[in-house]
Amino acid sequence: MECHIDYHPPANLLEGRVVLVTGAGAGIGRAAARSFAEHGATLVLVGRTLTKLEAVYDEIETAGGPQPAIYPLNFEGATLKEYRDLAKTLEREFGRLDGLLHNAGLLGELMPFAQYDSELWERVMQVNVTGPVWMTQALLPLLEASRDASVVLTSSSVGRKGRARWGAYSVSKFATEGFMQVLADELEPTSSVRVNTLNPGATRTAMRQGAYPDEDPATLRTPLDIMPTYLWLMGPASRGHTGQAFDAQPPKGVSPGTA
Ligand code: NAP
């Protein structure tokens, strides 16, 4: 799988582009939002916790980035109308969408399938798959209105090879890969919108700590370290690439550039 951790983007890579990031208030989403803004994008910060989104808004403003927009939204319980209202707001404010990073995610719990709670299963599928699917549908006309739109769906190693005890999370990431393939194949003949998945790999965030409580976080790459592939996929360098599964960092033991 392709990995672009050595990519050195120009400072104005995303200038003039409008990019929406979900789960923009924490972890990888926060780093992506800040990084995209640093490279010139106007951000639409989507997430469930307003105070976290406001903090990222302030960070972007302080760094001198384009003024972002904040749109609080909880994938658990969000309705089709909410996604359509979001699209209407973006249509009114910007008239198009040049980038969509589906990053928000819920781990659920790691446990044997025989004990997996059905309500938790539904919640994980809602946040990781169903919500992003209907949000994408609502935003498609705005993506089509862009000359060079990129949709990036966040996957995981367990979305490419199943692993014991990873239950709904693993299945939701396989579904993410499937949704990417269906949409990319469907759009390719007629549209310039590209659709790909990106596996961040082991990254120092709250979610990773939840999954691996005994791991020393200092041994992991930070969200900022893995931004080159995010920038490559969001910017014009990835034009023509669609329907592909990318990795943000090389697998353990493989040096950058060889993955
Ligand atoms: P994180 O630190 O837990 O952040 C997850 C983000 O998703 C937070 O901003 C959170 O909002 C948001 N979110 C959760 N539930 C939501 C909901 N119901 N509605 C809206 N937003 C919601 O996790 P992360 O490690 O940065 O993960 C980012 C993405 O990378 C996820 O898709 C994850 O599956 C994937 N990933 C991560 C790793 C890793 O090693 N970290 C590895 C593979 C894949 P709040 O902050 O408000 O809770």
Side-chain angles (χ1 to χ4, degrees), residues 23-29 47-49 52 73-76 102-106 127-128 154-157 169 173 199-208 230:
I28 296 168
R48 68 176 164 182
T49 312
K52 292 185 184 178
L73 187 141
N74 188 339
F75 277 118
E76 281 186 60
H102 280 298
N103 161 84
L106 188 63
V127 175
N128 296 0
T154 306
S155 186
S156 165
S157 309
Y169 180 84
K173 296 298 187 181
N199 168 23
T203 310
R204 198 187 306 168
T205 67
M207 183 187 287
R208 177 76 190 186
Y230 282 76

Side-chain angles (χ1 to χ4, degrees), residues 185-224:
D185 194 48
E186 205 171 295
L187 294 181
E188 198 171 9
T190 55
S191 166
S192 64
V193 179
R194 55 189 178 281
V195 189
N196 297 288
T197 54
L198 179 55
N199 168 23
T203 310
R204 198 187 306 168
T205 67
M207 183 187 287
R208 177 76 190 186
Q209 187 76 66
Y212 297 91
D214 299 332
E215 184 178 65
D216 176 5
T219 61
L220 301 173
R221 284 196 171 92
T222 67
L224 214 56

Side-chain angles (χ1 to χ4, degrees), residues 73-101:
L73 187 141
N74 188 339
F75 277 118
E76 281 186 60
T79 59
L80 287 181
K81 182 178 178 309
E82 280 177 68
Y83 300 129
R84 288 176 191 148
D85 287 348
L86 165 67
K88 274 187 210 154
T89 304
L90 298 186
E91 165 74 46
R92 201 173 51 239
E93 293 294 320
F94 305 110
R96 66 177 201 289
L97 188 61
D98 306 298
L100 171 58
L101 171 62

Side-chain angles (χ1 to χ4, degrees), residues 1 106-111 116 121 124-125 128-129 154-178 197-202 207-208 211-212 245-247:
M1 305 228 178
L106 188 63
L107 177 66
E109 284 178 44
L110 305 191
M111 64 174 87
Y116 211 98
W121 187 284
V124 172
M125 294 303 284
N128 296 0
V129 188
T154 306
S155 186
S156 165
S157 309
V158 296
R160 294 170 182 173
K161 187 172 189 323
R163 199 178 304 158
R165 302 178 72 252
W166 280 72
Y169 180 84
S170 178
V171 171
S172 76
K173 296 298 187 181
F174 270 94
T176 299
E177 295 284 350
T197 54
L198 179 55
N199 168 23
M207 183 187 287
R208 177 76 190 186
Y212 297 91
F246 289 88
D247 284 313

